[in-house]
Amino acid sequence: MNFTSVLFFEFSSHALLESSRERGAQGALFSKYIRLSENQILRDEYVRQNSIGHLFVVWIFYEKYLRDKYFEITGRTEFKISKLFKKLINALELENFEVIYSEFEVIRNTRNSLHDGGCYNRTFSYFEADFKDTTYVFEPGEQVVPLRVMDVCDVMYSHYLKLERLKECS
């Protein structure tokens, strides 16, 4: 799950630039960053595009890991990732099955909505679940609330630790 670390480090540069602003740093590059970051429309679009791209990237690795883990445990494959995940966490008899599965479904449905311009598929059923202390509602044909990429990475990493039966290092 190293891809989660890469994203945390990528965002650290923004944190450093923000803290530099508070300390009164100067220079041409810093001034350009501040000017661009103060443009609300540009910043919102940057965050939206960045989140979409990162969500697709982390999902690819996460899905590959899940498929490999499922095959390792069952010796079989499963086409539908939602069925695969449910069978996987059932086979491992993980605690908090419902929470883990609903977190997965929030990520999956958000990612899938991006195929329809960020709208939840009109043919799907209403879905509601908690994710990182927020309730996300998926209504057919309606816009989906974007997820923070860092929250997605954090949840994926927590799933990884549970699936591998590892303790988090502090």
Side-chain angles (χ1 to χ4, degrees), residues 2-122:
N2 288 337
F3 64 88
T4 58
S5 302
V6 170
L7 288 176
F8 279 114
F9 281 114
E10 181 176 321
F11 284 106
S12 68
S13 61
H14 296 289
L16 291 171
L17 284 167
E18 286 298 320
S19 67
S20 296
R21 179 190 346 208
E22 293 167 7
R23 291 187 310 242
Q26 296 184 359
L29 184 60
F30 182 73
S31 296
K32 182 178 180 180
Y33 166 79
I34 294 302
R35 189 175 68 254
L36 291 173
S37 72
E38 289 174 344
N39 181 323
Q40 185 70 39
I41 295 168
L42 182 62
R43 187 175 58 244
D44 289 349
E45 185 62 12
Y46 169 78
V47 168
R48 188 176 79 81
Q49 293 295 330
N50 216 14
S51 293
I52 289 170
H54 283 126
L55 182 54
F56 272 105
V57 168
V58 297
W59 180 265
I60 290 166
F61 287 100
Y62 184 56
E63 184 174 336
K64 168 94 170 80
Y65 164 74
L66 293 174
R67 290 188 183 284
D68 289 347
K69 187 68 177 174
Y70 182 76
F71 186 78
E72 174 190 318
I73 290 172
T74 67
R76 296 188 306 263
T77 59
E78 173 65 55
F79 178 73
K80 292 192 172 219
I81 192 68
S82 188
K83 279 185 177 180
L84 178 147
F85 191 75
K86 189 178 267 187
K87 289 178 182 178
L88 179 61
I89 58 179
N90 258 332
L92 291 171
E93 299 175 349
L94 297 180
E95 291 180 26
N96 299 323
F97 171 92
E98 295 83 13
V99 172
I100 296 167
Y101 187 71
S102 70
E103 289 172 339
F104 170 82
E105 283 295 294
V106 169
I107 298 169
R108 186 183 71 81
N109 283 304
T110 301
R111 181 215 170 259
N112 287 349
S113 77
L114 299 174
H115 295 297
D116 294 315
C119 290
Y120 188 57
N121 192 308
R122 292 183 187 284

